[in-house]
Amino acid sequence: GAGVSQSPRYKVAKRGQDVALRCDPISGHVSLFWYQQALGQGPEFLTYFQNEAQLDKSGLPSDRFFAERPEGSVSTLKIQRTQQEDSAVYLCASSGRGQYQPQHFGDGTRLSIL
Amino acid sequence: QKEVEQDPGPLSVPEGAIVSLNCTYSNSAFQYFMWYRQYSRKGPELLMYTYSSGNKEDGRFTAQVDKSSKYISLFIRDSQPSDSATYLCAMSPLNYKLSFGAGTTVTVRA
């Protein structure tokens, strides 16, 4: 079946602009995660949804970062007033119902802030 | 100090060799352990997933978890050029908030 789909794959924005990144999880997966991956580093946790409920947003770097999943499927990560340090790859992952379900990742959105 | 330490390499081996990768961690609450493979400009791809201590084998891949030493390993037998990638270890106490290592870059020479 189809995997996790993210769009756009690449996004270039000027400093100060707002951006929105989309994640379409694997069909039927109740859990959805966002991670940020800097160049040469492992992904860092940003936030976690179970269905439409955002259960953990402890990894969001600042109040400029906002995520939503209003209908429990597609999710959007929004970054307001972008800064150069926001340049990174933003990865989305999803997992199925149950305790031992691993996370499956999309190919990410590569965000460059000029 | 990071929660998860992973030697970034790079590691270069000839085709057919055994690749040995490892991570150490400091959080004794971790009980879910994963290895992901990441090709350039692609997302992490799940290779192995284990809960608690022990060994798990899947084809050419063997994962080992030693919770007493806070040490996990991944072995790749009969390595192929297509195994050239970055390998990421990941772990979590509750299977949702993953903590990753920095990744080890592996090159398998034909």
Side-chain angles (χ1 to χ4, degrees), chain A residues 41 56 58 99 103 107, chain B residues 2 32 36 43 95-97:
Chain A
Q41 299 298 315
D56 188 332
S58 62
Q99 181 181 1
Q103 296 179 30
D107 285 336
Chain B
K2 291 186 175 182
Y32 296 87
Y36 286 86
N95 198 32
Y96 80 88
K97 187 174 179 178

Side-chain angles (χ1 to χ4, degrees), chain A residues 34-113:
Chain A
W34 284 97
Y35 291 83
Q36 180 190 59
Q37 186 173 24
L39 189 64
Q41 299 298 315
E44 296 274 347
F45 172 82
L46 293 177
T47 188
Y48 158 54
F49 289 86
Q50 187 167 326
N51 295 304
E52 68 279 4
Q54 189 174 21
L55 299 185
D56 188 332
K57 55 181 181 179
S58 62
L60 296 176
S62 75
D63 58 7
R64 296 186 296 104
F65 286 72
F66 172 76
E68 60 183 5
R69 194 186 184 198
E71 297 179 358
S73 55
V74 171
S75 176
T76 303
L77 177 67
K78 298 179 179 178
I79 309 173
Q80 297 176 324
R81 305 181 303 282
T82 53
Q83 304 293 317
Q84 280 198 318
E85 61 263 29
D86 300 335
S87 296
V89 176
Y90 290 85
L91 294 164
C92 177
S94 68
S95 66
R97 196 180 302 272
Q99 181 181 1
Y100 300 106
Q101 298 301 313
Q103 296 179 30
H104 298 275
F105 284 80
D107 285 336
T109 293
R110 185 174 298 269
L111 176 64
S112 297
I113 305 300

Side-chain angles (χ1 to χ4, degrees), chain B residues 2-104:
Chain B
K2 291 186 175 182
E3 264 191 321
V4 181
E5 297 284 352
Q6 182 176 10
D7 187 337
L11 189 62
S12 180
V13 301
E15 184 175 357
I18 295 174
V19 176
S20 175
L21 304 165
N22 59 78
C23 290
T24 59
Y25 62 94
S26 56
N27 188 346
S28 58
F30 288 148
Q31 50 182 349
Y32 296 87
F33 303 92
M34 286 134 273
W35 285 95
Y36 286 86
R37 176 174 63 194
Q38 188 172 29
Y39 293 114
S40 179
R41 298 186 179 272
K42 302 290 277 184
E45 172 193 2
L46 182 69
L47 289 176
M48 300 291 280
Y49 175 75
T50 55
Y51 171 71
S52 195
S53 282
N55 296 351
K56 184 174 183 178
E57 188 172 319
D58 184 2
R60 296 185 296 115
F61 300 92
T62 299
Q64 294 182 347
V65 175
D66 182 348
K67 290 185 70 179
S68 62
S69 301
K70 297 190 179 67
Y71 185 90
I72 70 170
S73 302
L74 177 72
F75 300 95
I76 308 173
R77 291 182 298 280
D78 187 25
S79 57
Q80 305 295 312
S82 58
D83 294 326
S84 298
T86 296
Y87 290 81
L88 296 158
C89 63
M91 48 199 78
S92 174
L94 295 173
N95 198 32
Y96 80 88
K97 187 174 179 178
L98 298 183
S99 294
F100 282 84
T104 300

